[in-house]
Amino acid sequence: MNCILLPVENFSANTAKINDTVQVDHVNNILGAKVGDTLKIGQLGGNLGTAVIEDIAADSIQLYDVQLAITPPAKLDLTVVLALPRPKVLRRLIMDMTALGVRDIVLVNSYRTQKSYWQSPLLERLDEFVLEGLQQGVDTIAPRITLQKRFKPFVEDTLTSLVSNQAIVAHPYAEQSFSEFRQLDTTLELPNLVCIGAEGGWIDYEIALLAAHGCTPVHIGPRILRTEAAVNVMLGQWLL
């Protein structure tokens, strides 16, 4: 983690307390910090800054001289609609998308999403994965995450309301590449919504329904990528 993020209730005047066991362990055993050292910290939902270690106990660390004057980086103007992947993949993707600054994440059902994925206990731990991503990306503002268990009603009733300019759907068999799509009108901003399938990708019916509701199918190269790789390659376009 590249900064320590703390909830509002852990702050008082110009002091703060770290009492999360993972964070305490990181400061003690990974950073090897000592009393008097300065840490990069942030307030969840607020600003970033620094604080000085005043005292280290077995289960907590007391901080003083808290300075929170740095505004967190701006979010990407982007909604990622992601077909719910395997639980272990989901953890990494939530962390990565959070670290990259995605503003909104929609986890949606798809034909190739196994029903058991929706019962995974990891879905109850999304806040934990978001925190890891925020601390990696040195950010304090969490993305908005929503769950959509019914694909067709989501696309027909909700999808278009999320699109402010353009929308695309990543599909390895699309005729048009993302680069070609961008070259059609370079005056337009990057799409503000991208749909990415889980393992195995979208089926033809899903591609057709997404296309009928304003999503242009595009590919990102001749290779078929794992979901994690596809997400990171695609989102890299918004970071250039």
Side-chain angles (χ1 to χ4, degrees), residues 13 38 48 57 60 65 86 112 122 132 137 150 168 220 236 239:
T38 298
L48 296 156
S60 66
D65 192 22
R86 291 182 294 115
R112 291 192 170 110
L122 291 188
E132 291 183 69
R150 301 176 65 202
I168 57 175
I220 51 177
L239 300 175

Side-chain angles (χ1 to χ4, degrees), residues 189-210:
E189 296 178 357
L190 281 162
N192 82 297
L193 185 142
V194 56
C195 302
I196 300 176
E199 289 83 351
W202 307 103
I203 63 172
D204 291 343
Y205 166 79
E206 293 166 338
I207 291 292
L209 189 63
L210 288 166

